[in-house]
Amino acid sequence: MENKEVMEKIVSLCKRRGFIFQSSEIYGGLASAWDYGPLGVELKRNVKEAWWKSVVHTREDVVGLDASILMSPKVWDASGHTENFHDDKVDCRYCKKRFRSDQLEERDCKTREKCDFTEARAFNLMFKTHLGPVEDEKAVTYLRPETAQGIFVNFKNVLDSTHRKLPLGIAQIGKSFRNEITPGNFTFRTREFEQMEIEYFTHPDQAEACHQQWIDERFQWYLDLGMTKDRLRLRKHPDDELAHYAKGCSDIEYEFPFGWSELEGIANRTDFDLKQHAQFSGEKLQYHDQVAGEKYFPFVIEPSGGVDRATLAFLVDAYHEEEVEGRSRVSLRLSPKLAPIKVAVLPLLKKNVDLVELARRIKKDLQKDIVCVYDDTAAIGKLYRRQDEVGTCFCVTVDVDSLEDGQVTVRERDSMKQERISVEGLKEYLMSKL
Ligand code: ATP
């Protein structure tokens, strides 16, 4: 299959089955804005929950935060975003399109050879807005372009309220906004997106070792959730690509059908951010290590990933097409941790009242502990195909024999192997497999 065709199939599956819709579609759609449908929202929540569990709940040294999207505009002066957060853009006098000057080679343009570019100009990527009823300069603020600054400005609050010692990480998931010049590749690059970021504060002497640990851990996270190892790689930034304050940065990249692209960056941001905020706010943001009798600005290691990008990568990676008995079979081989639906309960005959009643009872019992659905709206072959296509891990089929022997057929998604399991032991069986 052509790479372009793979992407088209995934976009079409996402729409058809309720993973991702075009935003404002009934009005012709808003370019590069996407809405997560009933299955998409489950998948995305599972990605976020897997991340939160891995970086907050199963560690001793990271706490969570949920800061607001609107912040004082002074934050963006201190962070350098007001002055420096821009991409260089060029306009084409011929096709009238606008491109990022560092992406001219891969630009999507049908009249490439005729392109005639203007000089590059800086274009600030922050969305400007006004706070309150008066739209003057004093009321200007921005939609945050990253969640990280919400963490830096709360560093002192978190330390004071938790009485924690360094090293300590603060994790946050939330929306960010960037007025990207060339969004595209489905949900890969959009103007509104969700980030999952950690700022890990540590002693400057420990920063380098700590950076490596986070690179390893974050890489492993994608593998633990079933991502294909050969399609993941690390890319260390050369020195001339690093932000002036950064001491090092490695990206985790995934091989999408449109090429190797960044899922997450893990940077050593040194003590830049806290020093800037200390200077601009006048607050004392140094850490006082009372045991060692030392005061210092901690260094910060920042693993910063995109929820939408990770979700897209998991979808692409799970997409599987094969020929079974002369027909094409599509399945999403998602990890059970990510699959939007874990189990589907399907009665073989919907006209048999007893059978339907048993199937409904099984579903009702399972749903207390397992995300599951009941479906009797088609013949069993079609029901299986529907569930495979959305990545449901197990189908439980209730048939007439079930009424006699108290057993149901459990079919596993990837192998399509079927097993008879007693209704009594069903939940335990499924929970152990999931
Ligand atoms: P890129 O080079 O792709 O523009 P970036 O290096 O500017 O990304 P960061 O500022 O490091 O990205 O942001 C951290 C993470 O946030 C990225 O790795 C990505 O997963 C996500 N992200 C950034 N911009 C976007 C976007 N426009 N759409 C979706 N996700 C994004």
Side-chain angles (χ1 to χ4, degrees):
M1 232 187 311
E2 289 279 310
N3 283 341
K4 199 164 167 226
E5 203 186 326
V6 178
M7 248 356 253
E8 278 167 10
K9 285 191 174 191
I10 290 166
V11 174
S12 145
L13 170 73
C14 282
K15 172 168 183 183
R16 191 160 31 84
R17 299 309 313 276
F19 280 93
I20 300 171
F21 306 124
Q22 169 87 70
S23 161
S24 322
E25 200 182 322
I26 61 166
Y27 289 102
L30 180 70
S32 304
W34 303 95
D35 298 340
Y36 288 81
L39 291 179
V41 68
E42 297 287 340
L43 174 61
K44 197 173 165 197
R45 277 174 60 125
N46 292 342
V47 169
K48 289 188 273 187
E49 267 163 32
W51 184 85
W52 196 265
K53 185 167 181 189
S54 150
V55 305
V56 182
H57 285 168
T58 55
R59 296 182 66 109
E60 297 280 308
D61 55 350
V62 180
V63 293
L65 182 79
D66 185 7
S68 73
I69 288 172
L70 296 172
M71 304 176 75
S72 162
K74 290 185 190 140
V75 170
W76 308 112
D77 292 339
S79 68
H81 283 79
T82 323
E83 201 180 338
N84 300 321
F85 193 57
H86 51 66
D87 278 341
D88 283 340
K89 60 161 191 194
V90 295
D91 290 296
C92 172
R93 296 185 188 94
Y94 184 77
C95 68
K96 309 287 181 219
K97 281 193 188 158
R98 182 165 281 182
F99 302 103
R100 243 168 81 169
S101 27
D102 61 344
Q103 290 179 346
L104 287 181
E105 271 312 301
E106 62 263 40
R107 74 187 180 280
D108 178 20
C109 178
K110 293 202 176 71
T111 53
R112 285 180 78 92
E113 51 305 335
K114 294 192 178 144
C115 279
D116 174 20
F117 298 120
T118 60
E119 287 286 297
R121 265 173 299 163
F123 175 76
N124 194 299
L125 297 179
M126 283 200 292
F127 275 98
K128 224 181 208 179
T129 188
H130 293 93
L131 284 181
V134 185
E135 290 196 3
D136 64 12
E137 271 307 299
K138 276 187 271 163
V140 165
T141 190
Y142 305 92
L143 302 185
R144 67 179 177 201
E146 60 175 35
T147 61
Q149 298 304 322
I151 298 179
F152 293 125
V153 301
N154 277 297
F155 172 66
K156 196 168 177 302
N157 280 338
V158 172
L159 277 192
D160 290 350
S161 59
T162 60
H163 309 286
R164 302 288 286 251
K165 306 264 178 292
L166 296 196
L168 180 72
I170 305 177
Q172 166 161 239
I173 300 178
K175 290 262 185 177
S176 294
F177 301 81
R178 295 180 189 177
N179 203 0
E180 298 276 2
I181 299 168
T182 44
N185 284 327
F186 199 24
T187 53
F188 181 81
R189 187 182 302 286
T190 51
R191 296 193 170 107
E192 171 183 346
F193 53 94
E194 243 176 313
Q195 289 185 305
M196 24 195 200
E197 297 194 296
I198 305 156
E199 306 305 325
Y200 194 84
F201 301 89
T202 185
H203 191 282
D205 292 348
Q206 259 107 59
E208 219 158 292
C210 184
H211 188 198
Q212 190 54 48
Q213 276 165 15
W214 274 109
I215 293 171
D216 297 342
E217 287 193 26
R218 293 302 307 140
F219 195 85
Q220 190 58 38
W221 182 79
Y222 294 93
L223 296 178
D224 290 346
L225 290 170
M227 206 169 264
T228 310
K229 199 170 181 189
D230 293 348
R231 292 201 204 145
L232 268 184
R233 73 176 184 197
L234 273 177
R235 189 181 70 83
K236 194 167 186 275
H237 288 207
D239 286 349
D240 60 1
E241 208 186 304
L242 291 175
H244 63 92
Y245 51 80
K247 262 210 158 157
C249 184
S250 287
D251 287 345
I252 299 174
E253 296 189 333
Y254 180 76
E255 192 179 20
F256 284 97
F258 45 83
W260 286 97
S261 311
E262 173 183 337
L263 291 181
E264 171 163 350
I266 301 131
N268 176 348
R269 298 180 64 105
T270 67
D271 54 8
F272 174 77
D273 305 272
L274 285 180
K275 274 189 172 158
Q276 286 290 106
H277 286 301
Q279 190 194 329
F280 277 69
S281 68
E283 281 284 336
K284 291 193 177 72
L285 298 180
Q286 278 183 317
Y287 174 69
H288 187 187
D289 182 338
Q290 282 166 344
V291 180
E294 190 186 2
K295 261 191 183 169
Y296 61 91
F297 280 105
F299 268 33
V300 172
I301 306 303
E302 178 193 71
S304 167
V307 179
D308 310 83
R309 281 191 191 177
T311 303
L312 181 62
F314 284 120
L315 267 172
V316 168
D317 205 65
Y319 187 84
H320 192 80
E321 223 180 286
E322 69 198 314
E323 192 87 2
V324 178
E325 290 161 9
R327 294 182 63 162
S328 150
R329 171 180 182 255
V330 173
S331 56
L332 283 187
R333 300 191 163 188
L334 289 166
S335 148
K337 292 192 189 104
L338 299 181
I341 304 166
K342 316 297 178 200
V343 176
V345 182
L346 316 168
L348 201 60
L349 297 169
K350 80 174 198 191
K351 288 202 181 108
N352 183 323
V353 183
D354 294 338
L355 208 150
V356 165
E357 205 234 16
L358 175 60
R360 289 241 180 238
R361 193 148 42 88
I362 290 173
K363 152 78 173 44
K364 210 166 167 191
D365 178 46
L366 290 180
Q367 76 188 12
K368 293 179 209 144
D369 302 289
I370 300 173
V371 180
C372 55
V373 293
Y374 169 91
D375 193 3
D376 63 8
T377 58
I380 193 71
K382 196 162 182 187
L383 292 181
Y384 281 156
R385 277 200 300 283
R386 267 189 206 162
Q387 296 301 332
D388 288 343
E389 211 183 33
V390 302
T392 304
C393 309
F394 292 97
C395 286
V396 170
T397 309
V398 185
D399 55 27
V400 271
D401 289 344
S402 309
L403 298 172
E404 300 297 319
D405 65 6
Q407 293 191 333
V408 287
T409 303
V410 178
R411 172 184 175 276
E412 197 270 333
R413 178 192 66 205
D414 299 343
S415 64
M416 293 189 284
K417 275 212 186 104
Q418 307 198 356
E419 248 185 290
R420 292 292 280 180
I421 303 289
S422 80
V423 174
E424 246 171 61
L426 180 66
K427 191 192 273 183
E428 205 179 317
Y429 173 84
L430 291 170
M431 303 259 281
S432 73
K433 294 277 177 183
L434 289 164

